[in-house]
Amino acid sequence: MELQAVLMAAGGGSRMMDLTYNTRKPLLPVGNKPLIWYPLNLLERVGFEEVIVITTKEVQKMISTDPKMKLDVKMKLDIVCIQEDADMGTADALRHIQQKIKTDILVVSCDLITDAALHEVVDLFRAHNATLSMLMSKAHEFTETVPGQKGKKKTGEQRDFVGVDGTGKRLLFMANEADLDKGLVIRKSIMRKLPRMHIKTGLVDAHLYCLKKSVVDFLADNKSVSSIRGELVPYLVRKQFSKSMTSPNVNDEADQKLKKKDGNANLEIQILSRDEVLLQLTRERSCWNDHRGDMSEAYHGVRLRCYVHIMDEGMCYRVNTLAAYIEANRLAPKLFDEPAVHPSAAISVRCLIGADSIIGASCQISDKASIKRSMIGASTTVREKVKVTNSIIMHGVTIEEGCNIQGSVICSNTVIGRGADIKYCLVGSAQRIEPEAERTNEVIVGTDQLMEI
Amino acid sequence: PHPSTGGGGIAPLTEQEEEEQPLQAVLVADSFNRRFFPISKDQPRALLPLGNVAMIDYTLEFLTSTGVQETFVFCCWMSNKIKDHLLKSKWCRPTSPNVVHIITSDLYRSLGDVLRDVDAKNLVRNDFILVYGDVVSNIDVSQALQEHRHRRKVDKNISVMTMVFKESSPGHKSRCEEDDVIVAMDSKSKRVLHYQKTQGLKKLQFPMNIFQHGSDEFEIRHDLLDCHISICSPQVAELFTDNFDYQTRNDFVRGILVNEEILGNQIHLYVTQDGYGARVSNLQMYDSVSSDMVRRWVYPLTPEANFTDQQGQGCTHSRHNVYRGAEVSLGHGSQMEENVLIGRDTSIGANCHISNSVIGNNCTIGDNVVLDRAHMWNNVHISSNVEIHQSVVCDGAVVKEAVHLNKQCVLAYNVVIGPNLSLPDGTVVSMHHPEEEEEDDDDEFLSDDQEVGHSKDKTRQKAFNPAEVGPEGKGYIWKASMNDTEDEELAQCLWGLVLNPDPESDSESEASEESQDRSRSVSPEIDDVNAFQLEVLGTLQRGLEENIVCDNLVLEINSLKYAYNITLKEVMQILTRVVLEYPFQQQGTQLTTLQYTGSLLPLLKTWSPVFKNYIKRAQDHLDCLSAVEELFLEQDTHQTAMVKVLMKMYQLEILEEEAILKWFSTGATNDKSRQLRKNQGKQRMSLQRKESEEDESSEEGE
């Protein structure tokens, strides 16, 4: 086994609270499948047979009991639960499962929906004996209107600056605009070694990382690092260019411990794997080099290397906002070829269902209903003369006669009263919309949910 | 007439018109610096031979081959020589495809002056190529020109300049360390966003606003060699006129980039991968370019091509890049190993060993001579048993028996060296006395263009030092002036910086840098107050050296005050501090208290008018006192001197008695200062009392 897969599925979905209030993020239905299915499927497609899933008790329970959440994957899932209120970051979670990690790892986030060729990332990892390789993609513009959001979203968001070398593979620099108040500062020594740096903005980090096992060991010794994306990756990227042994204060002690343990000098992050000696020899004897222009050895003798694969085309979404969720629902069905209408759904002959819609199991669609570009969850009842356009209807929803639903998200177990007209709304779960209601651009959630905000 | 290819009839017509306009170039045959002194005292830089051809010929050949039809050559320093050279050359023949106009003036002090003159005389009508007379290149700029024109057509004259760069990795020998640049550019539009010389920098800083132009892909490039070839719009000349403070192209580029939002002008770049282009900006570059030339990197401009079309300049090219001119005689057992160019009528003795060298016309070389990376110009005489490594020997120089020239030596025109002498690394010998040069130095504008004639009379004819140039030697040693400020040292340094960037030292500092990164501490920038302090120190120092009247010092300090936006209170505090620290500054911190007071008290007397100018109100007195206190708190070994200082200041009527007493009685702000007062309080009190009593009595006496 070359790589162990780790799926991070304990996130709360804090950026789309309205959606995740009742349904945990990993279980949000996308194309009538729970979100977590997508990364699992991705792993399965490339041949993983086992995956460690880090998640919460609640999600585990739902997966194992609720038939709607049944993950139809053949891989062996090793589910590790962490406490929800422990406020653990992704790096904390890795530290938590350190005992299970025997090889290098592939970490995937549960909100990743992509058709990326995973081997590109892994190949970089292999080819350069990298410490870290990751996946990024060009950011997509979200075209759909987002319910409850007035006007266009502010574009003044802070951009991430990603610096890669001339080949576009080696990751040299990573910072958020917010941290660059003094301007972008690069050491000249880096520019001397790698004289051509591309600085890219407008990339999405897919949160998919190949990491050396030594990094997990490093985490075990450095309790202060709690997030992979926020702390570990920037740290590794920065570390590429410091040959110095003196470590920053954070891991002074850990470093000392490591040194004692091994007596080796370069153990800040122990990247020397066992075959490093052979590799070294190979590199010396071959004429291969990763760069040209100066006469120095490959990688300039740098042992810690970070790489990134940037997708030029294809689909790569992180479902962590409402807009991304809607977009993913629109595109996700293209990822699998199952019948759009579940065989167990009871569909009247006299209704109109667009080819780009999905109907879940045990649905009831009555006469003269019209469903276009929408997703209808399992056990949902759609009565006569209902029009559903561009919407996401989750499980167990009842839509009474003559409703018109457009561009909205209706969460599970909600009942929409007769003749209601709902446009661009987000309706929380187990809500009851009165008949003949006319709602536009609203977020309709229960009062308990409002209290919390 | 062409058949119209459809579309609007007007657009292609203007294009055609534009094509028909002859391509113009501005060639600046002056460097406006003294990097080649003392060589360029006798010959302007543009005429120095490189591969036995004057450098300006390479530049003109480059311009002609790239399609330039009209060239304006601007000369200043020794313009007559350049003019004579050009008039004799093929460029001034009636058949020349490139019409050369020579414009001379002694008033040009910089590239800015030249371009302002271009504007005043209205010489250019269209995009033109701007180039120096020491650029060697074979780049075909027509592609760059096309891009430039296209941009100007699309964007309505927003792009004013396209700079031509050659791709070349850092550390490449044809990269001039002092000319190393870092460029931030927009990947798609090739627009220059940031342009900075990197010499002496550890960290490269890019302001964030350059990344806010809507593009999402940028490139930071350090693999570019500035060829000093620029394609300019006619506006460039106008912009130089509008901004009279632009002196160099660097000023211009920075000005355009910084004021991009105001002026709306942009600069683009063009990168060539396979062309060759370099500017001979110092001897290091001369050495590199010359060897590239011999190794045929500048093809088709090769030594045997005789592109200047001069009679007798032809030579043959044989393997290992050995070129021999006409009538070259080579003695028995002599070897020309590789990359050797020998001019016509040169004779070489027996058992010589020559490699990587260029030898000019009419040279004679004795037996058993070793030449490696030597650049010998015309009419040089080398006796037997001489060894020369990486050195330049100018026209008419004579090297006698058994002389050894180590690396980076320069023998300027007509120098005689030896016999039996070894010159250490970096020796520069010239027939001009260095003193004569220093007299010219008064002129603030450093330029090759100094009238040497008038100072010649003044030159005290000193005898040649046989220890320096040998018993039969003629010439004076030029020393790189070390006592000057760094900038001037640079300007003096012929060979340029031979920086061997030490990667180890780099990484050593990384640790500290990293921790700095982490703690986000402020980089050690000199803030205004510190800068002001340094300036005040400099002013006072100069005042002392040159005996400047105190009134003028006050004027200068006042102007500094406005320049750095310093409050009056700070001025006084800094002034006090600078004066009190002055002895330490001059004589080191190891002074004893006695020495300290001994040197300080006269200074106080000299500068008392300056103090009086700033210390007027009662509050000023107190501020001054607190500054004194602060300093002596730092210099705690010299605390005893404080009494004397205060007394002197009192005697000089800088400080008033009441102020001193008030300061003494007001509570000390911290433990240390309390300690200070306590230590000397009594003593001082009594002294002061005595002083004041004495004073009073003396006043009464008067």
Side-chain angles (χ1 to χ4, degrees):
Chain A
M1 186 168 52
E2 185 200 0
L3 282 168
Q4 278 179 292
V6 178
L7 181 65
M8 297 287 180
S14 54
R15 273 184 270 187
M16 40 181 189
M17 276 310 233
D18 295 328
L19 272 179
T20 54
Y21 185 74
N22 277 73
T23 318
R24 293 292 131 203
K25 183 161 89 166
L27 304 177
L28 277 179
V30 174
N32 268 340
K33 288 177 186 297
L35 183 52
I36 194 173
W37 178 85
Y38 291 90
L40 285 173
N41 179 256
L42 175 73
L43 293 171
E44 197 173 56
R45 277 204 313 261
V46 295
F48 279 98
E49 290 172 351
E50 202 180 327
V51 58
I52 302 171
V53 182
I54 299 176
T55 188
T56 55
K57 281 244 162 56
E58 195 189 341
V59 173
Q60 188 200 15
K61 209 173 116 193
M62 292 289 274
I63 290 176
S64 50
T65 57
D66 196 330
K68 286 196 290 275
M69 299 300 171
K70 203 175 143 271
L71 299 170
D72 104 65
V73 286
K74 296 179 191 75
M75 288 189 297
K76 187 181 160 214
L77 300 186
D78 179 359
I79 297 180
V80 179
C81 294
I82 58 171
Q83 291 210 317
E84 199 173 349
D85 48 2
D87 197 25
M88 282 170 89
T90 41
D92 294 320
L94 270 187
R95 194 176 297 127
H96 186 72
I97 57 160
Q98 193 218 352
Q99 300 302 323
K100 289 177 183 278
I101 305 292
K102 303 283 186 277
T103 66
D104 300 339
I105 54 170
L106 176 73
V107 182
V108 190
S109 168
C110 76
D111 54 9
L112 174 66
I113 298 184
T114 182
D115 58 356
L118 257 195
H119 70 87
E120 300 263 19
V121 182
V122 180
D123 282 350
L124 280 176
F125 188 69
R126 291 168 176 153
H128 299 283
N129 195 19
T131 304
L132 161 77
S133 72
M134 59 193 288
L135 177 69
M136 287 195 186
S137 160
K138 289 229 164 76
H140 302 275
E141 293 272 325
F142 297 125
T143 45
E144 302 284 313
T145 323
V146 178
Q149 203 175 69
K150 298 212 169 65
K152 274 269 168 190
K153 215 178 161 191
K154 287 166 281 170
T155 45
E157 252 189 55
Q158 304 282 17
R159 297 175 293 174
D160 268 326
F161 282 73
V162 175
V164 291
D165 72 347
T167 63
K169 299 289 184 200
R170 179 101 181 259
L171 184 58
L172 306 175
F173 179 86
M174 208 162 161
N176 189 275
E177 199 166 13
D179 300 326
L180 295 174
D181 48 343
K182 288 211 189 76
L184 200 148
V185 178
I186 298 169
R187 278 205 308 273
K188 193 174 159 194
S189 53
I190 300 179
M191 289 313 293
R192 284 197 74 87
K193 286 177 197 152
L194 301 148
R196 197 168 175 181
M197 188 187 286
H198 294 269
I199 302 275
K200 302 191 179 205
T201 62
L203 294 182
V204 175
D205 183 353
H207 286 221
L208 183 144
Y209 310 101
C210 274
L211 291 167
K212 276 254 183 293
K213 177 173 186 295
S214 55
V215 177
V216 183
D217 298 338
F218 164 78
L219 282 178
D221 289 317
N222 287 273
K223 303 270 191 295
S224 61
V225 179
S226 86
S227 141
I228 295 182
R229 176 61 172 85
E231 295 161 63
L232 181 67
V233 171
Y235 175 76
L236 291 176
V237 170
R238 235 185 3 249
K239 264 291 165 216
Q240 289 183 92
F241 301 102
S242 55
K243 277 185 210 155
S244 58
M245 302 301 132
T246 43
S247 44
N249 321 337
V250 194
N251 50 343
D252 256 344
E253 286 160 77
D255 200 18
Q256 296 262 305
K257 258 187 243 161
L258 273 173
K259 269 181 192 164
K260 267 179 219 156
K261 232 188 275 174
D262 248 279
N264 194 331
N266 190 10
L267 278 173
E268 176 128 41
I269 284 188
Q270 205 180 355
I271 24 161
L272 294 159
S273 50
R274 211 166 298 142
D275 52 5
E276 184 75 21
V277 184
L278 267 179
L279 266 179
Q280 199 79 39
L281 197 66
T282 324
R283 220 171 276 145
E284 275 167 25
R285 301 263 163 104
S286 78
C287 58
W288 180 85
N289 204 323
D290 74 312
H291 65 277
R292 45 180 304 216
D294 56 12
M295 304 296 284
S296 59
E297 56 183 316
Y299 307 115
H300 299 92
V302 172
R303 294 229 184 101
L304 195 164
R305 297 179 286 272
C306 300
Y307 284 84
V308 59
H309 173 65
I310 297 173
M311 293 169 66
D312 277 331
E313 44 199 29
M315 170 170 151
C316 181
Y317 288 100
R318 286 204 58 225
V319 181
N320 55 3
T321 61
L322 185 55
Y325 176 70
I326 291 169
E327 191 77 10
N329 262 297
R330 201 166 62 81
L331 292 167
K334 292 175 190 160
L335 273 182
F336 50 85
D337 38 47
E338 281 174 31
V341 178
H342 198 274
S344 64
I347 294 174
S348 151
V349 200
R350 292 172 61 200
C351 70
L352 201 76
I353 294 177
D356 40 10
S357 298
I358 306 174
I359 312 293
S362 338
C363 278
Q364 286 184 10
I365 313 278
S366 309
D367 286 354
K368 290 184 184 166
S370 143
I371 295 168
K372 287 177 194 158
R373 298 184 66 205
S374 297
M375 181 201 95
I376 311 285
S379 314
T380 288
T381 311
V382 178
R383 300 246 192 261
E384 286 87 0
K385 292 181 191 163
V386 168
K387 274 175 81 176
V388 179
T389 327
N390 255 340
S391 297
I392 300 163
I393 318 287
M394 295 190 191
H395 315 296
V397 177
T398 307
I399 304 175
E400 300 285 1
E401 288 165 16
C403 285
N404 184 12
I405 295 171
Q406 192 186 338
S408 299
V409 178
I410 316 282
C411 294
S412 43
N413 303 323
T414 290
V415 178
I416 312 259
R418 173 192 301 255
D421 187 11
I422 295 177
K423 282 178 184 151
Y424 306 111
C425 285
L426 172 73
V427 183
S429 60
Q431 297 298 304
R432 187 163 287 276
I433 304 288
E434 64 274 27
E436 307 294 338
E438 275 187 39
R439 302 293 188 92
T440 310
N441 230 329
E442 277 180 63
V443 176
I444 306 160
V445 288
T447 42
D448 53 335
Q449 207 170 328
L450 281 175
M451 293 290 280
E452 211 161 284
I453 302 162
Chain B
H2 292 255
S4 174
T5 47
I10 301 160
L13 199 78
T14 51
E15 202 169 306
Q16 235 172 29
E17 271 175 1
E18 205 165 274
E19 296 284 297
E20 279 164 17
Q21 291 251 352
L23 180 58
Q24 295 173 308
V26 169
L27 190 156
V28 184
D30 199 320
S31 58
F32 305 113
N33 65 37
R34 294 181 165 197
R35 296 304 300 274
F36 273 70
F37 256 41
I39 300 174
S40 54
K41 271 195 166 232
D42 296 301
Q43 189 85 324
R45 191 196 290 189
L47 295 188
L48 300 184
L50 189 140
N52 291 343
V53 174
M55 291 204 270
I56 196 170
D57 287 331
Y58 290 102
T59 316
L60 282 166
E61 179 69 27
F62 151 69
L63 289 175
T64 309
S65 64
T66 206
V68 173
Q69 288 168 285
E70 190 175 16
T71 306
F72 300 99
V73 180
F74 286 83
C75 334
C76 185
W77 171 238
M78 297 199 165
S79 47
N80 287 334
K81 282 198 174 187
I82 298 176
K83 204 167 177 176
D84 289 349
H85 174 88
L86 290 179
L87 289 174
K88 272 188 278 172
S89 73
K90 75 167 183 178
W91 314 112
C92 288
R93 291 179 199 161
T95 51
S96 169
N98 183 2
V99 182
V100 173
H101 306 278
I102 304 164
I103 298 165
T104 63
S105 164
D106 290 338
L107 299 174
Y108 301 139
R109 291 289 179 215
S110 67
L111 176 71
D113 291 339
V114 169
L115 284 171
R116 280 184 273 276
D117 203 35
V118 168
D119 187 40
K121 294 193 169 117
N122 218 353
L123 295 176
V124 293
R125 300 174 294 277
N126 213 322
D127 296 336
F128 65 98
I129 296 174
L130 175 65
V131 77
Y132 279 100
D134 45 13
V135 169
V136 175
S137 170
N138 64 359
I139 297 170
D140 183 3
V141 296
S142 49
Q143 172 76 20
L145 196 67
Q146 213 172 341
E147 285 176 20
H148 180 80
R149 283 180 176 153
H150 177 72
R151 269 194 291 269
R152 287 175 53 72
K153 203 167 286 166
V154 172
D155 284 345
K156 296 224 171 76
N157 299 344
I158 282 178
S159 174
V160 290
M161 189 189 262
T162 301
M163 299 163 89
V164 178
F165 289 92
K166 167 177 136 58
E167 210 172 85
S168 147
S169 308
H172 190 274
K173 72 180 165 64
S174 70
R175 268 178 75 144
C176 177
E177 286 283 346
E178 2 174 331
D179 226 14
D180 253 4
V181 288
I182 191 119
V183 178
M185 61 183 257
D186 186 322
S187 305
K188 283 177 198 130
S189 65
K190 302 267 181 280
R191 190 177 137 201
V192 179
L193 302 171
H194 188 78
Y195 175 89
Q196 193 180 16
K197 297 213 173 196
T198 63
Q199 193 200 339
L201 294 177
K202 271 247 148 99
K203 282 183 178 179
L204 307 164
Q205 198 158 13
F206 303 91
M208 287 314 281
N209 61 330
I210 64 170
F211 299 111
Q212 271 141 12
H213 290 290
S215 174
D216 58 358
E217 248 181 80
F218 309 95
E219 245 177 281
I220 295 176
R221 299 192 66 163
H222 191 45
D223 61 343
L224 298 179
L225 166 70
D226 192 347
C227 301
H228 288 275
I229 300 166
S230 356
I231 299 167
C232 304
S233 319
Q235 281 138 285
V236 171
E238 291 162 26
L239 282 165
F240 266 97
T241 308
D242 294 345
N243 299 277
F244 53 84
D245 55 332
Y246 288 173
Q247 295 302 329
T248 61
R249 193 185 68 158
N250 219 21
D251 292 342
F252 175 79
V253 172
R254 291 183 65 100
I256 293 292
L257 293 182
V258 170
N259 300 322
E260 197 264 318
E261 269 132 55
I262 306 165
L263 299 171
N265 291 319
Q266 297 177 351
I267 293 177
H268 291 79
L269 56 73
Y270 173 81
V271 179
T272 173
Q273 259 122 15
D274 38 16
Y276 186 92
R279 183 177 176 208
V280 181
S281 47
N282 56 33
L283 278 185
Q284 188 79 34
M285 285 299 285
Y286 177 85
D287 186 30
S288 305
V289 174
S290 176
S291 80
D292 285 342
M293 166 71 53
V294 171
R295 283 163 222 231
R296 310 178 75 77
W297 284 105
V298 204
Y299 187 86
L301 304 186
T302 51
E304 87 279 10
N306 189 18
F307 61 86
T308 53
D309 199 19
Q310 274 173 351
Q311 285 270 309
Q313 266 294 358
C315 56
T316 59
H317 174 219
S318 41
R319 64 181 180 155
H320 304 310
N321 291 331
V322 173
Y323 306 84
R324 297 166 73 160
E327 308 293 326
V328 168
S329 72
L330 191 65
H332 181 74
S334 282
Q335 275 187 349
M336 294 190 284
E337 206 153 84
E338 52 173 1
N339 306 317
V340 177
L341 166 60
I342 300 176
R344 73 184 127 83
D345 299 324
T346 288
S347 68
I348 296 170
N351 297 318
C352 293
H353 194 97
I354 302 171
S355 57
N356 305 310
S357 298
V358 176
I359 300 169
N361 303 329
N362 294 317
C363 294
T364 51
I365 292 172
D367 301 335
N368 301 315
V369 173
V370 176
L371 301 178
D372 182 44
R373 290 178 77 184
H375 302 277
M376 306 198 339
W377 298 354
N378 301 327
N379 305 316
V380 173
H381 294 269
I382 308 274
S383 304
S384 300
N385 303 314
V386 170
E387 209 170 303
I388 298 181
H389 296 281
Q390 201 194 350
S391 295
V392 175
V393 182
C394 301
D395 287 6
V398 178
V399 181
K400 304 253 177 185
E401 281 270 320
V403 169
H404 191 112
L405 295 190
N406 280 311
K407 282 186 175 167
Q408 306 195 339
C409 287
V410 176
L411 304 184
Y413 290 88
N414 304 320
V415 162
V416 182
I417 291 288
N420 300 316
L421 188 72
S422 172
L423 291 184
D425 283 11
T427 313
V428 179
V429 187
S430 166
M431 290 306 280
H432 297 280
H433 198 277
E435 302 269 304
E436 124 193 10
E437 138 81 355
E438 265 164 32
E439 274 157 28
D440 298 344
D441 251 352
D442 298 342
D443 198 329
E444 227 182 85
F445 301 98
L446 283 181
S447 166
D448 286 342
D449 322 47
Q450 295 295 323
E451 276 305 324
V452 187
H454 72 275
S455 61
K456 262 204 174 124
D457 336 322
K458 283 194 262 170
T459 310
R460 290 145 283 179
Q461 203 65 48
K462 283 191 184 164
F464 307 118
N465 184 352
E468 285 175 348
V469 293
E472 295 166 32
K474 289 180 189 166
Y476 305 100
I477 298 265
W478 279 52
K479 290 197 180 69
S481 40
M482 300 309 275
N483 53 346
D484 281 334
T485 61
E486 208 162 315
D487 266 357
E488 274 169 287
E489 187 190 324
L490 254 182
Q492 300 283 339
C493 182
L494 266 167
W495 283 94
L497 290 175
V498 195
L499 296 176
N500 285 323
D502 180 8
E504 287 318 302
S505 70
D506 249 1
S507 60
E508 266 169 42
S509 59
E510 271 164 19
S512 60
E513 277 175 44
E514 184 132 315
S515 59
Q516 267 187 6
D517 280 351
R518 292 212 137 211
S519 58
R520 302 234 163 82
S521 65
V522 194
S523 58
E525 273 175 77
I526 297 182
D527 56 306
D528 280 354
V529 175
N530 281 346
F532 176 74
Q533 185 168 341
L534 287 177
E535 291 275 4
V536 169
L537 177 65
T539 305
L540 291 180
Q541 221 163 337
R542 213 149 28 78
L544 212 59
E545 281 159 13
E546 297 169 20
N547 246 333
I548 296 174
V549 197
C550 283
D551 281 353
N552 290 346
L553 290 181
V554 169
L555 266 180
E556 205 155 318
I557 292 172
N558 277 345
S559 65
L560 288 173
K561 167 183 177 302
Y562 291 115
Y564 290 98
N565 199 12
I566 301 288
T567 63
L568 203 59
K569 184 179 168 186
E570 281 172 314
V571 171
M572 194 172 46
Q573 284 175 334
I574 288 166
L575 180 68
T576 314
R577 170 167 280 267
V578 167
V579 170
L580 293 186
E581 277 178 348
Y582 196 82
F584 297 124
Q585 196 74 41
Q586 297 299 305
Q587 298 163 40
T589 46
Q590 307 303 326
L591 287 178
T592 65
T593 309
L594 209 64
Q595 283 171 321
Y596 173 71
T597 48
S599 56
L600 179 67
L601 295 183
L603 289 177
L604 280 177
K605 190 172 166 65
T606 323
W607 286 327
S608 64
V610 182
F611 276 103
K612 280 182 196 160
N613 186 67
Y614 290 104
I615 304 173
K616 283 175 180 155
R617 295 166 302 153
Q619 187 57 40
D620 300 339
H621 288 266
L622 288 180
D623 288 339
C624 174
L625 277 166
S626 66
V628 174
E629 177 184 356
E630 200 179 307
L631 183 108
F632 280 102
L633 279 175
E634 279 168 31
Q635 303 282 354
D636 39 12
T637 47
H638 296 300
Q639 283 181 357
T640 42
M642 185 173 174
V643 191
K644 289 189 179 167
V645 170
L646 287 182
M647 205 185 338
K648 189 74 184 175
M649 289 176 100
Y650 170 72
Q651 283 169 347
L652 292 169
E653 292 174 14
I654 298 170
L655 293 174
E656 285 170 9
E657 182 196 353
E658 293 101 80
I660 298 178
L661 291 176
K662 189 177 174 199
W663 164 76
F664 182 72
S665 54
T666 45
T669 40
N670 60 33
D671 286 351
K672 257 191 157 179
S673 59
R674 200 170 297 138
Q675 191 75 30
L676 177 76
R677 278 164 223 231
K678 206 187 272 176
N679 282 351
Q680 299 170 22
K682 283 176 194 165
Q683 200 184 351
R684 191 184 317 114
M685 276 295 262
S686 60
L687 271 169
Q688 240 132 43
R689 287 275 154 74
K690 213 186 286 168
E691 273 301 314
S692 54
E693 277 164 22
E694 272 173 21
D695 252 59
E696 272 161 38
S697 61
S698 66
E699 269 169 43
E700 276 164 28
E702 281 167 17

